[in-house]
Amino acid sequence: MQDVEALWADFATPIKTADDYINSLRGRRMNVFFMGERVPEPVDHPVIRPSINAMAETFRVATERPNFATVHSGISDRQINRFLHVPVSPAELVAKHEMQRELGRRTGTCFQRCVGLDAIGTCHSVTFDIDAKNGTDYHRRFLAFLKRAQAANVVIGGAMTDPKGDRSKAPHQQKDIDLFLHVTKRDDKGIYVSGAKMHQTGAVNSHWLIVMPTMRMTEADRDWSVVGAVRVDAPGLTYIVGRQTNDTRIVDGGAMDAGNAQFAGQESLIVFENVFVPHAHVFMDGEWEYATSLVERFTTYHRSSYVCKTGLGDVLIGAAASAAEHNGVEAASHIKDKLVEMTHLNETIYSSCMAGAHQSKPVASGAYINDEMLSNVAKHNVTRFPFEIARLAQDIAGGLVVTMPSEKDLQNNEIGPLIRKFLQGRDGVDVTDRMRILRLIENMTIGRNAVGYLTESLHGAGSPQAQRIQIARGMKLDEKKARARHLAGVAQSHTGSK
Amino acid sequence: MQDVEALWADFATPIKTADDYINSLRGRRMNVFFMGERVPEPVDHPVIRPSINAMAETFRVATERPNFATVHSGISDRQINRFLHVPVSPAELVAKHEMQRELGRRTGTCFQRCVGLDAIGTCHSVTFDIDAKNGTDYHRRFLAFLKRAQAANVVIGGAMTDPKGDRSKAPHQQKDIDLFLHVTKRDDKGIYVSGAKMHQTGAVNSHWLIVMPTMRMTEADRDWSVVGAVRVDAPGLTYIVGRQTNDTRIVDGGAMDAGNAQFAGQESLIVFENVFVPHAHVFMDGEWEYATSLVERFTTYHRSSYVCKTGLGDVLIGAAASAAEHNGVEAASHIKDKLVEMTHLNETIYSSCMAGAHQSKPVASGAYINDEMLSNVAKHNVTRFPFEIARLAQDIAGGLVVTMPSEKDLQNNEIGPLIRKFLQGRDGVDVTDRMRILRLIENMTIGRNAVGYLTESLHGAGSPQAQRIQIARGMKLDEKKARARHLAGVAQSHTGSK
Amino acid sequence: MQDVEALWADFATPIKTADDYINSLRGRRMNVFFMGERVPEPVDHPVIRPSINAMAETFRVATERPNFATVHSGISDRQINRFLHVPVSPAELVAKHEMQRELGRRTGTCFQRCVGLDAIGTCHSVTFDIDAKNGTDYHRRFLAFLKRAQAANVVIGGAMTDPKGDRSKAPHQQKDIDLFLHVTKRDDKGIYVSGAKMHQTGAVNSHWLIVMPTMRMTEADRDWSVVGAVRVDAPGLTYIVGRQTNDTRIVDGGAMDAGNAQFAGQESLIVFENVFVPHAHVFMDGEWEYATSLVERFTTYHRSSYVCKTGLGDVLIGAAASAAEHNGVEAASHIKDKLVEMTHLNETIYSSCMAGAHQSKPVASGAYINDEMLSNVAKHNVTRFPFEIARLAQDIAGGLVVTMPSEKDLQNNEIGPLIRKFLQGRDGVDVTDRMRILRLIENMTIGRNAVGYLTESLHGAGSPQAQRIQIARGMKLDEKKARARHLAGVAQSHTGSK
Amino acid sequence: MQDVEALWADFATPIKTADDYINSLRGRRMNVFFMGERVPEPVDHPVIRPSINAMAETFRVATERPNFATVHSGISDRQINRFLHVPVSPAELVAKHEMQRELGRRTGTCFQRCVGLDAIGTCHSVTFDIDAKNGTDYHRRFLAFLKRAQAANVVIGGAMTDPKGDRSKAPHQQKDIDLFLHVTKRDDKGIYVSGAKMHQTGAVNSHWLIVMPTMRMTEADRDWSVVGAVRVDAPGLTYIVGRQTNDTRIVDGGAMDAGNAQFAGQESLIVFENVFVPHAHVFMDGEWEYATSLVERFTTYHRSSYVCKTGLGDVLIGAAASAAEHNGVEAASHIKDKLVEMTHLNETIYSSCMAGAHQSKPVASGAYINDEMLSNVAKHNVTRFPFEIARLAQDIAGGLVVTMPSEKDLQNNEIGPLIRKFLQGRDGVDVTDRMRILRLIENMTIGRNAVGYLTESLHGAGSPQAQRIQIARGMKLDEKKARARHLAGVAQSHTGSK
């Protein structure tokens, strides 16, 4: 266990504040690439920094509103950041979702800490189940890991999505076995894993990663059925930060043009090359039968976590209302009606997420998991409504949202005054404020944070079809058919189903 | 109080079973009209009876599943039917909604007892508030009334919607002052009211009616600001039962053609001509300032009660799945996809209703009321999704749903065999069963119970625009604008709003 | 050919007026059943008569507006009713669609003469193609038949939809070979056919029927590959008229309750038992290879014929606007907005239909056929938008549309005055007029003519999935992919497609 | 007229090819700004150049397919580029729309030449009408101008949208009279105009601009009621090119990251400071009564011109189909169904646009104008369906579309091979090709050309509410109400309307 102590040595001083968190990221030796170049210090990289700021808000909210964003953990018997907590009641899932919406409002983007949170909840119950069946030691290991993490207040990232290669083939059938992350070697100290994880949210901004299988496994996929925790700076890890629409505008245009200069999301491709995981941090190794329930529990948690998008929705509704005010049209009935529609859609998403939290049920480990049907329904609404909310926001904002001069034009002595003259809206509205609000709308509907508000809403935690498959599984057609037959006066089923 | 005792004398023996309930309706002297004729005994009227059957299910579910549909009342300190209970916790509102969905599944129609239930909850808190302010005695009176009702297990109808006449005028401004129900006389025994209530659900099937104002009142509308309870057979009352699409098919076509022969809804126009209300049953008389909160609380309760439509949705999804099975196409991907979509929409409604129940809050009287925003959002979804679910059900069912021969054709010796020959579907499916399921789909999408599933879903508890107005009131634009300004880097509001 | 002369003898005097048409239907010996009883004279049956009235409008429009609804035929070299004309230019298809919309406006229902019209167009070109390939005589026969029909101005019904039985099997594989209509015998005078046709629009109101195969045939299905014309009163034919929602209200409630007392649609199951077709009226017998093009051409014509629903949409928009006016809310912005939305959807359908007519192309016979892609797109919109238009109409109408007393209540001395008192709307609006408009809305959205406006819009001329299959066939993905590759800078396809 | 000759001297050699066109833009002295800096030569500016390339395609298509993109003009009696032609038949409007769709397919963006085309058509008829009424000389002037333009084959931009300032005030009531472009001086040579035009499509890439009023004028707005043509390099003009999402990616990322490296749109703010217009180029000066019909005719033309977006839709459908193929999921039923839905929506837009062209009508000058209702309906569909098509494209593409490494990462020796290893899709698909297609989808749905495909589809040629106002004006409610009354049996209108 000495090794494990060493791995945790850097985290001896708990992270308390947002500043602590940002400092904790400095000086790490990580292989991070962006746009073809190695990034020596991500904290100072202007394109990456906004994503770190967003993550930092998960710390800030906890210091500013401890009753809201911290909770007592029975595992470590201390008050901890809610992002490190395994929910053990519906009320805690409800509180989690309220916190997620609030962080959506604070950042207007993806604050990246939910994947790890949902990974924790999932591992808690799956390790419990494996041990109960097999007499293994995973749950105790996991609790020990989590206790340390809670004490240190670190950021845990969850890494699930493998590249998958040929989707008609199982992991062990792939031409290139690395297309799913797998164990390459085992020794008395631990295991070694290779492969890659795609679309990894906030990975560079994390301290630890929990790797998990991405789908159902078969017996032949034992080596691919692995769960474990590694430090993000473990040898053998490489991060390639993905490009986002408009990501460099913060560099070439400045804060105003960026729209939301302070906050953004982040997703990377992470490559694993024989990355070592000490036994203490291995939470599944070969128990392929549990891959399905792990994935289902994770997605059930995580689909509801998309309640955060209602926080972004709040911001976008507010921005649209401000733009209408700047244009002097906030009293027009069609404008008010569009704001109502946006709110209605946003609150419909919220209600689906919250209903699933309130109706969560415990599993054997004592952890509570959102209602599966409602969580899928919630996420499925997330794959639709933000697109309509964004369309309505652009409708209200007007065409200027995509034809506007840049901040640098405004600063130019020759044309700056012309812009100020011709872009004046309603009396008393500062032109730069009008432009800032429009840039925010651009940012969220067609710019950098549209990545999180729109595309990620489609694909994060599973694409629309994944939810439809789960809804199909849970829709209890036999019961429904029996009800119909009863009312129609049909004596019994003719086709074998009840 | 002697009068009041007399009024309750008929209810000395509590109603226990569905049969008790049906018997309790017999032999009353009521002025009931349908299709231009006086109905001597509604219980035996073939068109009205299905609506009585539906109401009777609210008693049957309580005897069959007492843990589910009865609850302990602190008011009468006894176990009562949940339809007579004032909810005093979120869990009780949740249980109410589960019961409503189940009754939707059992009947495939409107079972009519929710209006009274939601009237009770509303009166509980509004009388409490009036008394607290004015030192009146309404709350005690109401509790006494409710205690008797709970003991007797009677059906209470809620009567809210006035004819309204010229909608641009207040009640006292109408040419005909009867266009809003109002007090015509007061004496030492009680008050007398005249006017009418429209679209009254299940009124003929009730024992008592609580009249309530339908909208905001002004000081000049004191006489119109009245709440009270009357027996449905009180002198001066006339009921004109409305026609429903296909209502007489049960008479001309038989059970199969009816689609759902056993259950239907019912709505009447009730005319009040100097109907007496003893003081003990007067719960508001002139306190016009409370009309608004009464209406808002009632609609907040009642909009969430439309969760019942998800029970109808369950039946319709089941019917569509059965029809697909009968046609041998249940495995076609587009059929499965449509069933998933129907389920997704149905569960979205459910989630909005349930979230509002879980997030209910207490008012001064101790009663819990659903979250107002979510209740409006839920009902607004009810004004949309059942229409799409119905469209998809018809899509799956095929055109036969509207071109099918009648049961009487099937019974004809000459053509019956031809129908059996040519309407055969998948092997092993009985033709009459196939026809029954299609008739049920007709019944719910374009027939008698489409009234409840579609049109009532639009207009019951307030038309779509009413919800939009409430959503607009609750959408907190100032908060949202502040969030947007913060992220956009705008220092402060320029227009006075925060 | 003597037989054929005899068959046409009854039509020696051309039908000129709507009255002529109605008289022409009297006194025929047909086996017509409705609700289990033989109908001795359909013209006098109160439930069937409105469908005859609707058909009669196709004659009335021709006498009232000859320039609009008649056209010169090159086949018979005379001015004929447009419903008997084979279109030989885009302008004629455009004129056809304008006439269909107008008849939708005049009747508010299905006027039933389009199926035969589209059958004529289809037979014109398919017989031409068969003869060109095989040297057969079908086209000349067909022209002779059509010439007589044009001269007599008879109503031709088209009969396509077979019962189909087990949908996974071809006609010749069915357990019961009658599940597809087929030739049972051939002799020197003609052929004999047995089977059935379902959902047959206006069959009882026609003079002749053209039977056609319903889908692709295989070589083994030769006997099922048959096209021919028979008189509707030919021996061996039985008609079972289907029930429609609310069909008997005209009987039990009267004109006001019916909503649209004058007009309705009609669909029957037609059974064929060894029905004789003289050679002169056989237009295909065994040429199975042409069944596919026959079906595709027919559906291409017929899907565009659903432009008639925009005429119904006009009526429903007008009714909703009237209801709003009666309620005194026609100036409310949300009401106006809903009328705009209804119009937008209605005109979108219109535009799809008209574009396909303008972009029609000739086939070998010289007949013009609508653009196939646009015709499918048009019909696919018809499967969606009328449902939303109907929902909005009900939204505007208010709940009274389903809770209203009957006309008989209005006539009752006791309650009639109460209804007049309490149902008064805006000043100066007659209560009965208000009720009539609401009954019309009921009729079209949830009553008898909702059958035509909604369900038939889904399934007539092929269910939604049928259009999707045709759209998929025509969507030219290879061309589109090539365009995408070009812009993306991808050199060539990697998967074999261009 | 000498001045005018001088103005045209530079265009003595007609532009024939795309290369000619690009060369014609070089070396002009224009005040063009982008991102705060003066752009010395827009042709060589990497961000601006793709918009020039897109415009150049309007020349290339004419040389490659002269029958398709050129037409004989009766005005100059020569074969000209269709973008300079006033349509004088429905067939020419149809051909115009086919050309616009094709250019959408060729460029995947806005090719910018339609505004000028639609301005020409509008000026043709409005000048005719003014002269007919007032005996002025505008039409002859306009024809002379157009004849020169046709001969020279120049690009004409249309400049309509004024800044508008306080939208509740008329032009002459604005605090700053420059907020609408107006005449500042008149002398014997011509007039001088000041003000600004916003969102001007392709202005920098044009040779001439026609300024037009943006809305209804009053008598007091005479000086603001001005139409005239100026060279884009006229003294007093300043162009500020607006920023577009992702516009600089072509610079920082390279061709692959740009998605569509070759083509993009362009919109500018143009400031006019006492810009001289010789009398020969003044087509309206003070005739305020004609501003309304000018705007309505222009928008009627221009709303239908949005048929170009169906060309972009073709590209996006093709890209999504390619992405599905690369992922090996092109046969999945939900993928096929989404491609069908995208096609259905795209063709619905097309059909609305084409129907309006086929049903165009001539005005007094002989020019044909699209049907106004259908043109508004078409554009209104454009404000909705591209958003859903884009959502479905992203759904099919998968999350990689927003998390993908850059081309520079691919070129890096260390991580390039990792990307190639882990981003492999279906066998035989080149990783860079897969990435290119995904970048194209990013480009069109959330990147630079989403500006044109989405936001411009909302606001170009008028925002959604503008179309709703026009639909409301044209929806003939009185006729529709009369139809409803007729069918409902209501004798006559009670409210004064027919």
Side-chain angles (χ1 to χ4, degrees), chain A residues 125-145:
Chain A
S125 69
V126 173
T127 55
F128 187 93
D129 292 354
I130 301 176
D131 291 1
K133 181 81 180 307
N134 298 348
T136 40
D137 190 33
Y138 296 129
H139 192 59
R140 192 193 50 72
R141 287 183 191 174
F142 174 75
L143 292 180
F145 166 80

Side-chain angles (χ1 to χ4, degrees), chain D residues 19 48 79 100 117 131-132 139 146 178 196 216 239 241 248 258 273 284 295 319 360 373 385 389 399 404 414 442 449:
Chain D
D19 287 345
I48 294 175
Q79 194 73 6
Q100 290 169 318
L117 168 55
D131 291 0
H139 191 60
L146 185 57
D178 292 342
R216 199 175 59 82
Y239 300 81
V241 177
T248 53
E273 291 172 290
M284 177 195 288
V295 171
S360 57
M373 170 61 81
F385 295 162
I389 295 170
M404 204 158 41
E414 197 168 350
E442 183 197 38
N449 284 330

Side-chain angles (χ1 to χ4, degrees), chain B residues 306-319:
Chain B
Y306 275 75
V307 71
C308 67
K309 302 304 180 198
T310 60
L312 278 74
D314 290 335
V315 173
L316 193 49
I317 293 166

Side-chain angles (χ1 to χ4, degrees), chain C residues 227-242:
Chain C
V227 176
V230 297
R231 278 179 56 153
V232 295
D233 54 358
L237 283 171
T238 303
Y239 300 81
I240 307 167
V241 177

